[in-house]
Amino acid sequence: SSAEDDHTPLEPQTERFKLLSEAYSTLSNPKKRYLYDIQREFSDETQFPDYKFSDKDLETLYSYYELFV
């Protein structure tokens, strides 16, 4: 039907908007930004190929970070 066809081209834009909104939410929140940065820093497959931080690990790191900021 034509109503479905009208919405199909918007799906990639809607998905992109959701991703951008999530990115903005993360980067504008100091705690979320710190946790994001830590994950990116340690996601280098060449240096840390088998390690992934758990949520508890990230919360512990953030609590130490708060002590020094």
Side-chain angles (χ1 to χ4, degrees):
S1 71
S2 65
E4 290 176 20
D5 294 340
D6 290 342
H7 293 289
T8 303
L10 297 178
E11 288 176 12
Q13 292 173 343
T14 301
E15 185 62 30
R16 182 173 166 87
F17 179 78
K18 286 179 187 177
L19 290 172
L20 290 172
S21 294
E22 182 179 335
Y24 179 79
S25 172
T26 297
L27 297 177
S28 64
N29 178 306
K31 181 178 180 180
K32 287 182 180 180
R33 172 66 186 258
Y34 174 78
L35 297 176
Y36 172 82
D37 288 345
I38 287 291
Q39 288 177 313
R40 293 218 7 122
E41 178 100 16
F42 288 93
S43 66
D44 182 350
E45 294 292 325
T46 60
Q47 292 182 14
F48 308 98
D50 298 323
Y51 193 78
K52 301 290 183 216
F53 286 109
S54 70
D55 289 342
K56 184 177 179 181
D57 294 335
L58 291 170
E59 289 296 326
T60 300
L61 286 169
Y62 187 74
S63 68
Y64 285 118
Y65 169 77
E66 285 185 305
L67 292 174
F68 297 103
V69 174

